[in-house]
C-alpha cells in the first residue's frame, strides 16, 4: 500500500516526526546518554534492552530483535497497517496526505473496505442475537453446553448462531439491492437465477454455530460455521473476499498475540472450538488455521511473535498427514533460533476434549514434550525404510536431502546433515547447487540476531552499508565512489544507491534511509546492520569507512585488470585498453609498495 503515498511526502513526514515523542506517548522512556531506554513493549523483560535513538530516528531491542522507524513502531505496537500508521503520524505533524488520482482511487477502495467491514459487524451482531432469541436456539445452546463453553467465552469470542432457514440473514440485512450486493461481496449470502432469470438470494451459513474471524487488527473479516445438522461439511468458512483470505489469517491471533510474545511460544490447533476451550482453561497463546494447511504467510506472522511453534494434531493417519504438510511448509522458515514441534493426541481426542478431561497443567506438560520437527522428519522418513540395507540408507539420503536443503538456518541445516550422515553410516553433504540464489544483500534471521562481532565477520559491502546507516554523513566524507557500481559484488547496488541518496540529502536519517528499502527482501538485514556494534571508536569511523571504500575500489581495479588480461589472451588490445592496463599495473605496484612500507 506504500505505493499509494508519494515517497516525497513520506520523507517530509519522517523529517518532521520525532520518534522519541511518538514512542514516549505510549511507552515510558528513560534518557541514557544520547539515547533512550525502556523495557521492551514487545516481549517481557526485567532489564531494559529497548533502545530509541533520536539521532537515527530508529528503535531497536537487543532482547527480541524488534526494530524500525516511528512508522514500524505504530504498525507493530498498535497493529496498524502502513497507510494507517502514515495517517497517524500525519495527524500528529499537522500534514495532509496528498490526494492524487492514485490516492483518490485508494480512498475509493478504502471506502468499499469500510462498507464491507460494517456489513460483517452487522452480521456478527445478527448471529449473536439469534443465539439469544431464535426459536431454533435450543440446539445451538445445547451444543455449546455439551462442549462446556461458558457465557463469558461465548461473549468474549462473539460466538453466534445461524438458524437453519434459507434466508434469515438475507431478510434481516438485505432490504435493498445495495445491501444485498454488499452481503454478496462479504461472502455472507449466495444467489441463484430462477427460470425467469431473476436472482434468488439465500444465506450461505445455515444451521451452524458461528465464529467471527478477526484479522491481526481485530477487525471481523469473515466467519467460520460449525454444522449442527449433519447436512453439510463439519466446518464452513467464508469464501475468499476482498477482506478475507484463508491463507493469511489465523483464528484467535488478535487476542493471542500478547500471550504468544509473553510465553515465547504459539500453539496451533485445528478447530475454532479448540481455541475457545483452551482459552477458557487459561491457555491463551493458541490459534487455529482456517480449515486449510498452514501457509508460509501464517508461519512468518507467528515467528515474528515468538520463535517457537507447536502444532497440535490428532494422532491418527489424517493427523500425521496434516503434520507432514505443516513440516514441509515450515522448513523454509527455519532460520537458526526458530523451532517447530508436533504434539499428537490420542486417537479420537482433540485439544478441547483433552483439556477438559485432563486439565490445563497436564495438557501443557504434553505441549512441553512435543516431538521436535527434526525427530518427526527422520522418524517419518525411516518408517518404511530398512536401514540395515545399503539401498535403504541410500533411499533415506535421497529423500532427506531435498528437504534439508530447504532449511535456511546454516547451523541447523549443518546439524541435520550430520544426523543424516550418522543414520546413513556415511558422510552426506549438502548439494550447494540446489540452493536458491541469495539476494543481493544476503539475509538470515541468524545474522540479524547475532551478537556483537568484529568487522572481519561481515563482508566489506555489508560493513560499509552498516556504517552508512548508522551515520549517513559518512557519504560526504569518504573518497569518490562513482565507479563502484561497476564492481561485481553482492550488495553493491544497495551501497551505491545509499551513498547517492545520502549525498543528495545531507540531513537524511537512518529511519528515512531504511524507509526507501521497506519492500526489499533484505530489509530486516538492513535493520540489523543499522544497530550493529562495529567496535570502532567514534573518532575513527571516518577513517574506517574510507578504508572500506578504498578496498572496494582496489577490488574494482583488480577486476578490471583481470578482465583486460583475459581479453588480451583472446585478441590484441587496442591503444586505450593498453594504456588502461599499464595504468592499473602501475597502480598495483604503488599499492604493494605502500603496504611494504
Amino acid at each position: 500500500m506504500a505505493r499509494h503515498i508519494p515517497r516525497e511526502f513520506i520523507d517530509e513526514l519522517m523529517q518532521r516526526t520525532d520518534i522519541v515523542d511518538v514512542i514516549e506517548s505510549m511507552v515510558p522512556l528513560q534518557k541514557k546518554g544520547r539515547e533512550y531506554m525502556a523495557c521492551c513493549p514487545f516481549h517481557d523483560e526485567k532489564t531494559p534492552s529497548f533502545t530509541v535513538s533520536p539521532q537515527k530516528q530508529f528503535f531497536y531491542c537487543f532482547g527480541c530483535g524488534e526494530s524500525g522507524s516511528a512508522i514500524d513502531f505504530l504498525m507493530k505496537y498498535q497493529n496498524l497497517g502502513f497507510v494507517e500508521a502514515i495517517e497517524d503520524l500525519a495527524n500528529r505533524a499537522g500534514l495532509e496526505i496528498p490526494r492524487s488520482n492514485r490516492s483518490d482511487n485508494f480512498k475509493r477502495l478504502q471506502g468499499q473496505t469500510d462498507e464491507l467491514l460494517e456489513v460483517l459487524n452487522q452480521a456478527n451482531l445478527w448471529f449473536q442475537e439469534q443465539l439469544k432469541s431464535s426459536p431454533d436456539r435450543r440446539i445451538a445452546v445445547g451444543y455449546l453446553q455439551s462442549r462446556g463453553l461458558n457465557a463469558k467465552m461465548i461473549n468474549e469470542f462473539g460466538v453466534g448462531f445461524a438458524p437453519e432457514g434459507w434466508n434469515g440473514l438475507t431478510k434481516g440485512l438485505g432490504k435493498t439491492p445495495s445491501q444485498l450486493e454488499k452481503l454478496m461481496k462479504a461472502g455472507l449470502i449466495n444467489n441463484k437465477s430462477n427460470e425467469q432469470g431473476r436472482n434468488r438470494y439465500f444465506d450461505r451459513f445455515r444451521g451452524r454455530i458461528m465464529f467471527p474471524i478477526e484479522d491481526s487488527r481485530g477487525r471481523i473479516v469473515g466467519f467460520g460455521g460449525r454444522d449442527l445438522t449433519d447436512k453439510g461439511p463439519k466446518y464452513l468458512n467464508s469464501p475468499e473476499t476482498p477482506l478475507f483470505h484463508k491463507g493469511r489469517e489465523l483464528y484467535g491471533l488478535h487476542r493471542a498475540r500478547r500471550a504468544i510474545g509473553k510465553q515465547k511460544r504459539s500453539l496451533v490447533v485445528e478447530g475454532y472450538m479448540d481455541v475457545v476451550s483452551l482459552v477458557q482453561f487459561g491457555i491463551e497463546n493458541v490459534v487455529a488455521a482456517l480449515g486449510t494447511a498452514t501457509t508460509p504467510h501464517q508461519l512468518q506472522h507467528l515467528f515474528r511473535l515468538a520463535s517457537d511453534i507447536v502444532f497440535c494434531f490428532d494422532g491418527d493417519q489424517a493427523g500425521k498427514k496434516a503434520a507432514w504438510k505443516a513440516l514441509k511448509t515450515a522448513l523454509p522458515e527455519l532460520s537458526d533460533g526458530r523451532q517447530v514441534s508436533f504434539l499428537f493426541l490420542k486417537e479420537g481426542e482433540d485439544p478441547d476434549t483433552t483439556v477438559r478431561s485432563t486439565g490445563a497443567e497436564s495438557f501443557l506438560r504434553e505441549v512441553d514434550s512435543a516431538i521436535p520437527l527434526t525427530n518427526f522428519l527422520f522418524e517419518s522418513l525411516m518408517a518404511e525404510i530398512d536401514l540395515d540395507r545399503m539401498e535403504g540408507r541410500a533411499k533415506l539420503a535421497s529423500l532427506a536431502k531435498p528437504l534439508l536443503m530447504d532449511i535456511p538456518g546454516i547451523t541447523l541445516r549443518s546439524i541435520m546433515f550430520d544426523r543424516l550422515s550418522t543414520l546413513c553410516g556415511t558422510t552426506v553433504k549438502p548439494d550447494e547447487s540446489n540452493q536458491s540464489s541469495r539476494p543481493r544483500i544476503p539475509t538470515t534471521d541468524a545474522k540479524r540476531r547475532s551478537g556483537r562481532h568484529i568487522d572481519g565477520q561481515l563482508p566489506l559491502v555489508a560493513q560499509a552499508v552498516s556504517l552508512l546507516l548508522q551515520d549517513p554523513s559518512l557519504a560526504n566524507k569518504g573518497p569518490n565512489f562513482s565507479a563502484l557500481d561497476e564492481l561485481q559484488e553482492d550488495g553493491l547496488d544497495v551501497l551505491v544507491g545509499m551513498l547517492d541518496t545520502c549525498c543528495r540529502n545531507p540531513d537524511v536519517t537512518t529511519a528515512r534511509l531504511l524507509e526507501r528499502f521497506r519492500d526489499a527482501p533484505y530489509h530486516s538485514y538492513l535493520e540489523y546492520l543499522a544497530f550493529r556494534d562495529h567496535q570502532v571508536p567514534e573518532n575513527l569511523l571516518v577513517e574506517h569507512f574510507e578504508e572500506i571504500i578504498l578496498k572496494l575500489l582496489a577490488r574494482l581495479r583488480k577486476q578490471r585488470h583481470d578482465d583486460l588480461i583475459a581479453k588480451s589472451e583472446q585478441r590484441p588490445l587496442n591503444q586505450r585498453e593498453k594504456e588502461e592496463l599499464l595504468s592499473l599495473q602501475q597502480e598495483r605496484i604503488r599499492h604493494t609498495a605502500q603496504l611494504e612500507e
Side-chain angles (χ1 to χ4, degrees):
M1 288 192 288
R3 65 182 181 274
H4 296 290
I5 300 176
R7 173 178 289 179
E8 295 76 14
F9 175 79
I10 295 176
D11 279 344
E12 181 183 359
L13 178 62
M14 297 194 74
Q15 190 172 6
R16 294 198 190 188
T17 297
D18 184 352
I19 192 172
V20 174
D21 290 341
V22 173
I23 295 180
E24 199 163 35
S25 67
M26 291 166 272
V27 177
L29 298 176
Q30 183 175 358
K31 199 169 192 308
K32 187 175 181 181
R34 292 190 301 179
E35 298 177 337
Y36 290 80
M37 301 287 294
C39 285
C40 181
F42 302 112
H43 80 286
D44 282 348
E45 61 177 7
K46 296 181 180 179
T47 303
S49 61
F50 181 80
T51 304
V52 183
S53 170
Q55 180 183 6
K56 298 184 178 77
Q57 288 295 300
F58 200 73
F59 74 87
Y60 186 85
C61 177
F62 291 95
C64 67
E66 289 288 359
S67 60
S69 63
I71 297 173
D72 297 297
F73 185 83
L74 290 176
M75 291 173 67
K76 295 172 182 177
Y77 188 76
Q78 294 191 332
N79 296 319
L80 300 181
F82 177 81
V83 173
E84 290 176 312
I86 292 292
E87 290 173 344
D88 186 301
L89 293 178
N91 287 334
R92 293 169 186 256
L95 296 176
E96 183 177 349
I97 298 176
R99 301 298 178 186
S100 62
N101 289 336
R102 295 176 71 184
S103 60
D104 286 343
N105 182 54
F106 173 73
K107 185 177 180 181
R108 178 179 60 81
L109 294 174
Q110 185 62 48
Q112 293 176 358
T113 296
D114 292 342
E115 289 178 352
L116 290 184
L117 289 171
E118 178 60 28
V119 167
L120 289 162
N121 280 327
Q122 291 175 2
N124 186 46
L125 293 174
W126 190 87
F127 289 136
Q128 291 181 16
E129 180 59 32
Q130 302 313 301
L131 185 60
K132 299 174 183 176
S133 60
S134 169
D136 301 332
R137 62 186 289 272
R138 283 192 293 273
I139 185 175
V141 172
Y143 172 79
L144 294 174
Q145 289 177 342
S146 71
R147 301 298 296 264
L149 205 61
N150 61 35
K152 180 184 177 183
M153 288 296 103
I154 291 173
N155 292 329
E156 188 169 332
F157 281 88
V159 179
F161 173 54
E164 195 172 347
W166 281 88
N167 54 8
L169 179 67
T170 302
K171 286 184 176 179
L173 301 182
K175 300 183 185 300
T176 68
S178 175
Q179 291 173 334
L180 287 169
E181 182 182 355
K182 292 173 186 176
L183 288 170
M184 285 280 292
K185 284 185 178 179
L188 291 166
I189 65 174
N190 294 321
N191 69 345
K192 186 176 182 180
S193 299
N194 59 18
E195 294 178 356
Q196 288 75 37
R198 297 181 60 183
N199 284 328
R200 296 182 61 187
Y201 295 92
F202 55 94
D203 296 355
R204 176 179 179 83
F205 299 100
R206 305 181 302 278
R208 293 179 179 273
I209 296 291
M210 298 300 294
F211 298 89
I213 299 170
E214 299 172 330
D215 64 8
S216 59
R217 291 155 57 187
R219 307 178 306 177
I220 297 174
V221 293
F223 290 91
R226 205 287 184 190
D227 184 45
L228 298 175
T229 65
D230 296 326
K231 295 179 181 178
K234 183 176 179 181
Y235 278 99
L236 179 68
N237 289 318
S238 293
E240 296 285 310
T241 72
L243 295 180
F244 181 66
H245 306 282
K246 286 187 288 187
R248 298 181 66 85
E249 309 299 342
L250 285 159
Y251 180 71
L253 180 62
H254 177 66
R255 79 172 318 284
R257 58 186 302 117
R258 291 285 181 184
I260 291 173
K262 182 177 181 180
Q263 297 176 41
K264 299 179 175 59
R265 171 190 286 167
S266 58
L267 177 62
V268 182
V269 296
E270 294 184 273
Y272 306 138
M273 186 61 72
D274 296 325
V275 172
V276 180
S277 293
L278 290 174
V279 171
Q280 183 169 305
F281 277 81
I283 302 171
E284 299 187 340
N285 59 328
V286 57
V287 298
L290 305 181
T292 59
T294 312
T295 65
H297 184 276
Q298 291 168 334
L299 290 179
Q300 291 160 14
H301 204 147
L302 290 174
F303 274 132
R304 284 197 291 271
L305 299 175
S307 60
D308 186 0
I309 298 176
V310 177
F311 288 97
C312 184
F313 292 102
D314 294 345
D316 56 15
Q317 279 304 114
K320 295 288 178 66
K321 186 176 180 180
W324 185 252
K325 286 184 179 180
L327 177 146
K328 294 179 72 174
T329 304
L331 287 175
E333 310 302 329
L334 284 182
S335 301
D336 288 336
R338 293 177 174 180
Q339 62 183 39
V340 171
S341 306
F342 297 90
L343 169 60
F344 295 103
L345 302 175
K346 296 177 181 178
E347 195 161 346
E349 291 284 316
D350 57 32
D352 171 33
T353 58
T354 301
V355 75
R356 283 195 285 129
S357 62
T358 66
E361 290 186 11
S362 177
F363 182 82
L364 288 174
R365 282 196 294 270
E366 290 191 53
V367 173
D368 290 336
S369 60
I371 302 171
L373 175 145
T374 51
N375 292 4
F376 179 56
L377 186 150
F378 285 116
E379 289 172 6
S380 299
L381 292 179
M382 293 187 300
E384 298 182 5
I385 292 177
D386 184 359
L387 291 183
D388 291 333
R389 299 181 57 164
M390 288 186 291
E391 297 93 327
R393 295 194 291 274
K395 183 178 181 180
L396 175 62
S398 68
L399 292 174
K401 279 183 65 174
L403 295 172
L404 302 190
M405 290 304 300
D406 281 343
I407 299 174
I410 297 174
T411 303
L412 177 59
R413 186 170 67 235
S414 176
I415 293 172
M416 293 283 277
F417 268 97
D418 287 344
R419 184 169 177 185
L420 178 60
S421 297
T422 300
L423 292 169
C424 293
T426 186
T427 301
V428 182
K429 295 182 179 180
D431 183 0
E432 300 298 336
S433 64
N434 285 344
Q435 294 190 74
S436 58
S437 57
R438 59 179 177 168
R440 292 289 290 165
I441 284 194
T443 170
T444 66
D445 204 51
K447 283 181 179 177
R448 187 167 75 92
R449 297 183 188 275
S450 60
R452 303 180 178 190
H453 302 297
I454 60 174
D455 269 13
Q457 291 182 314
L458 274 184
L460 281 179
V461 174
Q463 291 183 47
V465 168
S466 181
L467 290 171
L468 195 60
L469 282 169
Q470 295 180 29
D471 186 357
S473 68
L474 290 172
N476 295 292
K477 300 174 183 176
N480 191 307
F481 60 85
S482 59
L484 271 182
D485 56 0
E486 299 176 19
L487 180 61
Q488 297 174 6
E489 190 151 338
D490 281 354
L492 234 300
D493 52 343
V494 177
L495 174 59
V496 172
M498 282 188 176
L499 285 165
D500 183 61
T501 298
C502 293
C503 287
R504 287 187 290 104
N505 302 275
D507 60 343
V508 71
T509 62
T510 299
R512 287 172 60 194
L513 200 54
L514 280 169
E515 188 59 41
R516 294 172 178 264
F517 297 89
R518 174 174 293 277
D519 297 326
Y522 44 81
H523 182 257
S524 62
Y525 186 43
L526 294 181
E527 288 183 331
Y528 155 69
L529 292 177
F531 256 80
R532 188 177 188 280
D533 187 350
H534 294 269
Q535 299 183 359
V536 178
E538 190 171 351
N539 62 329
L540 297 179
L541 278 178
V542 175
E543 180 182 337
H544 188 63
F545 184 74
E546 287 181 351
E547 182 182 351
I548 292 171
I549 299 299
L550 289 172
K551 284 182 178 179
L552 290 172
L553 290 170
R555 287 184 183 179
L556 175 61
R557 289 193 296 271
K558 182 181 184 305
Q559 176 184 299
R560 181 59 180 161
H561 175 274
D562 293 345
D563 287 345
L564 289 171
I565 292 294
K567 190 177 293 185
S568 68
E569 295 174 351
Q570 298 174 359
R571 63 164 177 81
L573 298 179
N574 60 36
Q575 186 60 33
R576 185 185 61 78
E577 291 171 334
K578 289 179 181 178
E579 291 174 357
E580 183 182 2
L581 180 59
L582 178 61
S583 174
L584 289 169
Q585 289 172 337
Q586 291 174 343
E587 178 65 30
R588 203 168 183 177
I589 293 172
R590 283 196 299 270
H591 182 67
T592 303
Q594 289 173 355
L595 290 176
E596 290 177 351
E597 292 176 3

